Amino acid sequence: TKCLLVSYDKDLCVSLGLYDKVVNALKAEGVEFVEHFGVKSNPSIIHAREGIKKIRENNIDVILAVGGGSVIDESKFMSIGAL
């Protein structure tokens, strides 16, 4: 299984301890992942399209949104756009 890990700022995720928890859980289950950080409040289409490109180029099976509403919204957009 390949996962697109989507969130706001990687440094923030690391400092909060979220990054290590999520990455360790993915690795423990044998899930490969590609990172897509940089989601902003009111997500941009340009950034979402970069994520869609990653999904297609890496044969992503699942999107994991780590964050609040904007991360979830961009993840939903990317899932539809990738189809």
Side-chain angles (χ1 to χ4, degrees):
T1 302
K2 287 183 112 177
C3 172
L4 183 68
L5 174 58
V6 182
S7 196
Y8 298 107
D9 180 89
K10 184 173 182 176
D11 292 335
L12 178 62
C13 286
V14 169
S15 68
L16 294 173
L18 289 172
Y19 184 81
D20 288 337
K21 288 180 183 180
V22 171
V23 167
N24 289 337
L26 291 171
K27 288 180 179 179
E29 295 299 321
V31 177
E32 295 179 49
F33 64 95
V34 175
E35 298 176 351
H36 184 66
F37 286 97
V39 176
K40 305 288 183 204
S41 296
N42 300 314
S44 76
I45 291 174
I46 293 168
H47 191 258
R49 286 184 177 151
E50 292 170 8
I52 291 168
K53 184 177 178 185
K54 289 178 184 180
I55 291 168
R56 291 178 176 162
E57 288 177 348
N58 293 284
N59 298 314
I60 298 295
D61 301 303
V62 65
I63 299 170
L64 177 58
V66 180
S70 295
V71 172
I72 295 167
D73 289 345
E74 185 166 323
S75 296
K76 290 186 291 188
F77 179 84
M78 290 186 298
S79 68
I80 293 166
L83 296 176

